[in-house]
Amino acid sequence: MDTEQTLAQADYIIPSLAQKIQLYIAALKTVPFYRYGEIGNICYTIGKNILDGVILFTMFSMAEQELKVAAILGVVVKYAYPGISMISSTCISGFIDHLEAVRDTTRQIARLIRAQLGVAVGQALGAVCLLLCFPPVFTFFFASVSFKAYLLVAIYLLHHVCDGSSQIIEGRTWFKIIEIKIRRGHNAKLSQNFWVIYTLAQNFQLLLGQLFIWSALGITSEFSPDLTSVALSITVYCGFFCVVISKFILPAAYKLKLCS
C-alpha cells in the first residue's frame, strides 16, 4: 500500500491555473450533485453580496442619523457572532459524527440533503430579516412602532442568527456531500484533484462576491437620495430572490431525481 501511494504521489503533477479551471468545469459537468449545489452557492453569493452592498450601507445610515443605534448594531454583530458560531459548529459536528457511523453513502446523502433543506429555510429567513432592515421596507412596516430603534437591532441580530448559523451548518454538510461525490467518487482524476476543485470554487465565489458587493455599493451611492427608486428596488429584490431560492436548488434537484 505504501509503495502504491508513493507511486501515485510521484505521478501527480500540480496543475496550472488553466488546468484547475478545466477540472472545476469537468466536476460541474460530470457530478450532478456538485453542479446543482454549486449553482446554489453561486446564486447565494450573488444575492447576499447584493443585499449587503445595498442594505447594510443604507441601514447603518438610518441607524446612525435617525435611530441613533449604529453603535449597538456594531456591538451586536461583534459579540453575538462568536456565540452563534460556537453553538452551530458544535451541533453540526455531532451530526456529522453520527452520519459517518452510517456506512451506506446513499443514506448519508439522503440525510445530508435533509440538512441542506434546513439550511435553505434558515438562509431564506435570514434574507427576510435582512430585507426588513432596508429603510423603505423597515419604515413601511414599523414607522409607527415606538421602540423601532431597538426593533431594528433585534431584527438584524435575528438575521445573523438565521443566516450565520445556516452558513456554518451548510459549510460542513456541503463539504461532506462533495467529499462523498468527488473525493471518494468514481472519477479518479477529479478525486485526485479534490482540494484544487474545492479551493478554486471558493476563490471564484470570493471574487464574484467582491464584484457584486462593489457593484451594489456603486448603485446605492448613485441612487441613495431616493431609496425607493426603481433601479434600487429591482437590485434589492433580485438579490433577495437569489438568496431565497439558492439553497433549495440542490434539494429540489435531488427530489426530482436530477442527481445520482
Side-chain angles (χ1 to χ4, degrees):
M1 181 63 71
D2 292 339
T3 304
E4 290 178 0
Q5 289 178 344
T6 303
L7 288 172
Q9 290 172 356
D11 291 340
Y12 183 78
I13 299 174
I14 298 175
S16 64
L17 178 59
Q19 290 171 326
K20 290 176 181 178
I21 295 171
Q22 289 173 357
L23 287 166
Y24 174 65
I25 294 171
L28 291 173
K29 287 181 177 179
T30 60
V31 185
F33 271 93
Y34 187 66
R35 178 167 63 249
Y36 291 109
E38 195 65 8
I39 290 171
N41 291 338
I42 291 170
C43 281
Y44 176 82
T45 299
I46 292 172
K48 185 63 166 57
N49 282 281
I50 288 174
L51 291 181
D52 283 349
V54 178
I55 294 177
L56 293 187
F57 177 82
T58 56
M59 179 195 70
F60 272 95
S61 296
M62 177 181 69
E64 180 181 7
Q65 297 169 10
E66 300 175 29
L67 304 180
K68 310 302 180 185
V69 290
I72 300 176
L73 285 171
V75 170
V76 162
V77 174
K78 181 175 178 61
Y79 292 104
Y81 203 78
I84 296 168
S85 300
M86 182 179 66
I87 294 170
S88 302
S89 59
T90 300
C91 292
I92 192 60
S93 296
F95 170 76
I96 295 297
D97 283 338
H98 179 72
L99 183 76
E100 289 182 341
V102 179
R103 299 301 179 186
D104 184 357
T105 56
T106 302
R107 290 173 60 192
Q108 286 183 347
I109 288 294
R111 292 184 183 182
L112 286 165
I113 292 296
R114 285 197 292 271
Q116 287 288 102
L117 191 59
V119 167
V121 172
Q123 291 192 331
L125 289 174
V128 170
C129 292
L130 188 57
L131 182 65
L132 288 174
C133 294
F134 185 47
V137 178
F138 183 82
T139 302
F140 178 81
F141 284 106
F142 308 115
S144 60
V145 177
S146 59
F147 53 92
K148 59 185 177 182
Y150 299 102
L151 184 60
L152 177 65
V153 175
I155 294 172
Y156 189 54
L157 175 60
L158 189 58
H159 157 69
H160 275 282
V161 170
C162 294
D163 186 76
S165 58
S166 296
Q167 282 191 55
I168 293 166
I169 294 169
E170 195 266 348
R172 305 292 195 280
T173 55
W174 172 240
F175 182 85
K176 192 64 186 174
I177 288 172
I178 61 175
E179 185 182 45
I180 292 170
K181 290 297 180 179
I182 297 180
R183 194 176 194 180
R184 292 190 274 143
H186 301 298
N187 190 317
K189 188 173 182 180
L190 296 181
S191 176
Q192 190 179 30
N193 291 280
F194 171 77
W195 284 106
V196 166
I197 296 166
Y198 179 70
T199 304
L200 184 70
Q202 289 198 316
N203 290 338
F204 172 63
Q205 289 168 35
L206 180 63
L207 290 173
L208 197 64
Q210 290 298 303
L211 172 64
F212 277 92
I213 196 169
W214 284 106
S215 298
L217 281 169
I219 293 171
T220 305
S221 298
E222 180 69 26
F223 295 98
S224 58
D226 181 15
L227 297 182
T228 59
S229 66
V230 175
L232 205 56
S233 297
I234 290 174
T235 301
V236 168
Y237 288 109
C238 283
F240 176 73
F241 177 75
C242 285
V243 173
V244 168
I245 68 164
S246 61
K247 301 303 178 178
F248 286 102
I249 293 174
L250 179 58
Y254 179 79
K255 183 69 175 178
L256 296 172
K257 301 188 184 304
L258 301 176
C259 301
S260 59

